Amino acid sequence: MTEHVRAVQPEPDMVQLLTPEGERVERADYPLDITDEQIGQLYRDLVLVRRIDSEAVALQRQGELGLWASLLGQEAAQVGAGRALRSHDMCFPTYREHGVAWCRQVDPLTLLGLFRGTSVGGFDPYTHNFNMYTVIIGAQTLHAAGYAMGVVRDGAVGTGDPDRDTAVLAFFGDGASSQGDVNESFVWAAAENLPIVYVCQNNQWAISAPVATQSRVPLYQRSAGFGFPGLRIDGNDVLASLAVTRRALDDARSGQGPTLIEAFTYRMGPHTSSDDPTRYRLGSDVETWKLRDPIARVRAYLSRSAGFDAEFFAAIDEESEQLAVHVRAGCRALPDPSPESLFDHVFVELPEDLRRQRAEFADFVASVAS
Amino acid sequence: MTEHVRAVQPEPDMVQLLTPEGERVERADYPLDITDEQIGQLYRDLVLVRRIDSEAVALQRQGELGLWASLLGQEAAQVGAGRALRSHDMCFPTYREHGVAWCRQVDPLTLLGLFRGTSVGGFDPYTHNFNMYTVIIGAQTLHAAGYAMGVVRDGAVGTGDPDRDTAVLAFFGDGASSQGDVNESFVWAAAENLPIVYVCQNNQWAISAPVATQSRVPLYQRSAGFGFPGLRIDGNDVLASLAVTRRALDDARSGQGPTLIEAFTYRMGPHTSSDDPTRYRLGSDVETWKLRDPIARVRAYLSRSAGFDAEFFAAIDEESEQLAVHVRAGCRALPDPSPESLFDHVFVELPEDLRRQRAEFADFVASVAS
Amino acid sequence: MTGLSAVPDGLTTMAKALNAGLRRTLEEDPKVVIMGEDVGKLGGVFRITDGLQKDFGEARVFDTPLAEAGIIGTAVGLAIRGYRPVCEIQFDGFVFPGFDQIVNQVGRMHNRSAGAVKLPITIRIPYGGGIGAIEHHSESPEAYFTHSPGLKVVTCATPSDAYWMIRQAVADDDPVIFFEPKRRYWSKGEVAAQPGPLYRARTVRPGRDLTVLAYGPMVGVALEVAEVAADEGRDLEVIDLRSLAPLDTDAVIESVRRTGHLVIVHEAQRTNGLGAEIAARVQEAAFYSLEAPLLRVTGYDTPYPPSRLEEEWLPNVDRILDAVDRSLAY
Amino acid sequence: MTGLSAVPDGLTTMAKALNAGLRRTLEEDPKVVIMGEDVGKLGGVFRITDGLQKDFGEARVFDTPLAEAGIIGTAVGLAIRGYRPVCEIQFDGFVFPGFDQIVNQVGRMHNRSAGAVKLPITIRIPYGGGIGAIEHHSESPEAYFTHSPGLKVVTCATPSDAYWMIRQAVADDDPVIFFEPKRRYWSKGEVAAQPGPLYRARTVRPGRDLTVLAYGPMVGVALEVAEVAADEGRDLEVIDLRSLAPLDTDAVIESVRRTGHLVIVHEAQRTNGLGAEIAARVQEAAFYSLEAPLLRVTGYDTPYPPSRLEEEWLPNVDRILDAVDRSLAY
Ligand SMILES: Cc1ncc(C[n+]2csc(CCOP(=O)(O)OP(=O)(O)O)c2C)c(N)n1
Ligand SMILES: Cc1ncc(C[n+]2csc(CCOP(=O)(O)OP(=O)(O)O)c2C)c(N)n1
Ligand SMILES: [Mg+2]
Ligand SMILES: [Mg+2]
């Protein structure tokens, strides 16, 4: 069925600002005003985010989580985009943006609740300007567009006031690009010139389906036909992710409309802890992508070109250990929801018939207990 | 809300093979091998199709139809595309393709049944390789893609055998371009390189919404981002419609995959007989488009450049009168469905519980009658 | 409260009452926005939003691209940003492309955010048959929504309810699916000076012998039935359900305890229609009072028929009377 | 019939039985195609299609792009072209983006074409809870489909039914929604040598005192309840509904006429769940036989809870026994 279909390949003009070997690349179109200290902070983010992930993987194996969707390999795409946000920008993730959540100061334990089954989302999106995870593929891209419509109506675009002008960042995956909702979101974003930036993390796989199942052309090309620009970045390059997302968010805030960023990356682990990727992909692909590791290149740069010493790295490793303890202990201590909470927040105020159902439930629980 | 939004304008490279003044234009990329006699036949189609439409409009006014969706102004887009089909190609219309139905030899009375309320679709799509009308905007484009998947699986693409190779033609409107279904159809068509041609009749309006509500760039550009070509034709030029659709269908049949054709045209009448376009658009626009009438230019060509005489035109007018009689009388004579037919064809074989419901219904009808 | 338009005076059509109610919500709360296909200049295909864009501007009353998932999904985002969107779905049958967003997102966001996010979204749906339309224009999809957690579902039967209920629905901080009986749009009535409670059924005709429960387009028909039955010496009670979710069965249970007989009427297909739920609840709550089985008069379990057959398909006076007879003869 | 794989022998899991049944349909009819997300190399997230792409090729067993409307919509087109598509929806909660195509297209095409077009489409949906999953992975959406005209809806409770019913569903010329109780995928049983009729309920345990009606994942639980009740000297009859649409109420009505008591069990939310329809029909057909109201034990009218609470939310032995007690004590 696939003989006519061209494989999706990295584009020659994929934006890369830090090579896998740790060399900085300057690009006039994406100047990045950043100090080595700041790059050191990004390194810290990457390491800590990977640690949260690997702890969660372990917790899942130990039966503490029902499921986990690992971000392994995608740290740079997420941290770069996450750090490009201003605090009053709004962000709509999928279920894999643990690295963005980190940048938004969401406690990792909050995320674990969803995967442990102690909550169904469970955080207040306003505290962090970071929406709840969305499991239904693509649905959040429409919420992001609607939120951006609200931003426009609030007059919070193009005023030139950096504390006022607001952008929206919406994530989705390569698989999600096929969903009607995502394409409808593009329609809205273009037709209403919304202050929205889409980051498509093309990690090459939608569970077992390679990206060629969804598209025979690079995904960043999708947006042009809707009327807004798209471009591809090296998704394993945190500097490219930061610089390009920052510029796209600036464009959005200043009223220049939407941008699609395709972060070309790789899902190094299984789709989720329930998945067995050996059934559908070659280990050698994973090996190739290991050479493009998002963390190793930053470390190489910092130690080779920026003169960061062992102490710096040791301090971060120490912080990582502490974070791991927090995650492990905190996860096990996550409280089980109380049975009565079944009826909480179904509505703002529980209607009469549900109140009766809750009473019936309480009676039953009491009768069994007695 | 719309200050940033560019209006959708005709592209400079819109394909036109016959000017509004009736001058033929040669284009090397779309050579059209056609005799004047054949153009005469297209003229006949255009006239008769318009006549069916105007009779239906009148019948609706007289209360014989509940509703009518007029194709006025879109005859050329439809007849050109319809005549480009081979009989074994399959076609998926919206609810406005009366001109294509004509080319597929569907009796106009069959269409009237849907609008009179004597049927809910009502024809056998296999007889004419023309699917039933689809009211849910965009849904038919996925059916078309699926049908094309069947064609591929039947080995009826790219064999070089003209009696075997099969293409699928799918229609939709400018408004429909926003629906998830249409964009998902594009995903499938591209990813599976399907033998499908999309004709988007951009008649500038989706009821009261101008096309700028849907898109700020020309609609033909949509497909490139999915991985297949798109182009714009003068939708009021039957020769452009014929030549371009023919070539796109040839490409599809020979395994070269999908094409999107945007037929740039204008809905000269109301959306349907229930609509009042004076509430939302200027009469002057309609006047401008009158100068681009799809029939006048063919008549001008035939009489001025091809030497067709008054007799030719008179014969067609005569045929048109006869057709009108058929439509008028036939419409009034369309039989009302019998009450028992309510339960027909809900399933291939009526299950027991519906059989009981039918019996209950029959008892009730009998009791009232008695 | 100066500058707020008054409650409509005198005989008013349901369409005008809805328009007046919506206008009032726009006046009262700057966060209310009205969105959908053709709601702007055209004022909606039924003119329910007539004049509102002109008076409140394109930022607050606006045409959307043609896609129902997009309409609902962007309304969710607007609500997260603090807006109070009122979405119009042009006809009943077109709600399904937006169904996922309604069931999986609108109904659950408040719950998923542990109460942090409110979604005060109203989704208006003209529904029901009897207007001679083509397919997908005469559906009664209410039961799909009453089965879905986190959604409130209401429908009006009179201009007065139309006016007050749309105001109350828009003011509610929970999502409300608002079904408008399109064939009653041009029916006229007085608008009451004060509203009743939104989520309560109402007895529209007291009676002793049998209870008829109806809602939306069928309330008028039920009242006709009661008139005819009265001529035959039968005193029917008619209840207008109004709130389909939460389902207010108190009034009907109290009624059935008195009459011992219940006939439930709706246009939607019978199987798993709302009538099923009402029957299931009433037989449980009023078991010993029942003198006959609860009967349902509904659309049949077929696709909505071509309009030339819709009068046969829809519940009508004769079919309801037949059920009344069967119940009383039981 | 050489070359056709045999009926599975010995103890078989439901997952393997479904796989064997699908394999057989592929062998028997070259027009059968299997399509969905991850059904190819991976064999589906539950491995129901394991090995089928390898043996039947990519033209017949194939991964689709990630979009449910697209999956159902293209299946419609394939069916029009003469194919017999079997679509997999990966989890219950993901059917909603395809809902419009199912309700407005799949259920009506045969009717709209006046019988000219047949749509022999089977839509397989792993459904129900109890597996500790995250949100949208434990839903029971069957009532949305039983309310929709033109659709058949079935569900299996045993490996034997799984094997035979999937074969029968695929062979049916009408569209069938095939619900697979995912938490029973790894339960084992023998596969019968011959099938029973597809659209019939089956009494899985005869009894005299009270009837328990269940389907899919709840049949096993209902049987457990009957065991426990037997210890207490109560003889329960258990019926496996199997066919949800058409709804085969003959067996249950006959049963209730004998026992006078009925408890209906399903996981789906109660309001407008299938239990409502069953109650409505049974009270009508067996009015004089009822010794107590028909009771329902179901999920509550809330979103499916986080998995740490699912055991509280789902019907279980205790809750069903409680309803049995209440019914018998009435
Ligand atoms: C509507 C819907 N359909 C199917 C699924 C099942 N599912 C979960 S993740 C996934 C693949 C998503 O791939 P992609 O968008 O590339 O994101 P990634 O998982 O690679 O980050 C699928 C099919 C779902 N969650 N929602
Ligand atoms: C899903 C759905 N939503 C809304 C409608 C109502 N509706 C019917 S036609 C129409 C406009 C369609 O515009 P376009 O696609 O440009 O086609 P045209 O009518 O101009 O031929 C709308 C909104 C519908 N039929 N289906
Ligand atoms: Mg992916
Ligand atoms: Mg149009």
Side-chain angles (χ1 to χ4, degrees), chain B residues 95-96 135 137 173-176 203 205-206 271, chain C residues 37 68 90 94:
Chain B
Y95 41 80
R96 206 187 286 285
V135 168
I137 299 293
D174 47 298
N203 62 7
W205 296 95
H271 169 68
Chain C
E37 295 155 9
E68 286 75 11
Q90 197 158 79
F94 311 154

Side-chain angles (χ1 to χ4, degrees), chain A residues 46-127:
Chain A
L46 294 168
V47 168
L48 296 184
V49 156
R50 181 171 289 182
R51 186 59 183 263
I52 293 167
D53 191 73
S54 63
E55 290 302 322
V57 168
L59 284 164
Q60 193 283 329
R61 290 214 183 106
Q62 293 156 22
E64 296 293 336
L65 299 178
L67 185 84
W68 182 249
S70 166
L71 61 39
L72 192 68
Q74 302 177 221
E75 297 88 350
Q78 295 190 15
V79 166
R83 288 298 175 200
L85 285 163
R86 297 206 190 128
S87 68
H88 62 281
D89 291 332
M90 184 68 184
C91 180
F92 287 84
T94 74
Y95 41 82
R96 204 187 288 284
E97 273 69 72
H98 322 312
V100 188
W102 169 258
C103 299
R104 300 306 268 174
Q105 268 109 45
V106 177
D107 187 326
L109 296 178
T110 308
L111 306 178
L112 295 189
L114 176 64
F115 293 97
R116 187 173 168 88
T118 59
S119 87
V120 276
F123 51 91
D124 174 347
Y126 300 112
T127 316

Side-chain angles (χ1 to χ4, degrees), chain A residues 43 62 152 161 163 233 289 361:
Chain A
Y43 175 80
Q62 293 156 22
V152 171
D161 175 353
D163 293 331
I233 64 169
W289 279 89
F361 171 72

Side-chain angles (χ1 to χ4, degrees), chain A residues 8 13 86 92 130 162 173 179 208 210 226 261 287 319 338 364:
Chain A
V8 175
D13 59 351
R86 297 206 190 128
F92 287 84
F130 185 74
Q179 279 284 12
S208 72
F226 289 84
I261 299 170
E287 292 310 312
E319 201 181 346
S338 72
F364 170 73

Side-chain angles (χ1 to χ4, degrees), chain A residues 122 126 133 153-154 184 356, chain C residues 59 70 80-81 83 112 174 250:
Chain A
Y126 300 112
Y133 278 7
R153 280 163 180 73
D154 290 342
E184 291 185 11
R356 287 183 202 165
Chain C
I80 296 176
R81 178 76 188 179
Y83 283 82
R112 293 174 61 239
D174 285 313
D250 288 357

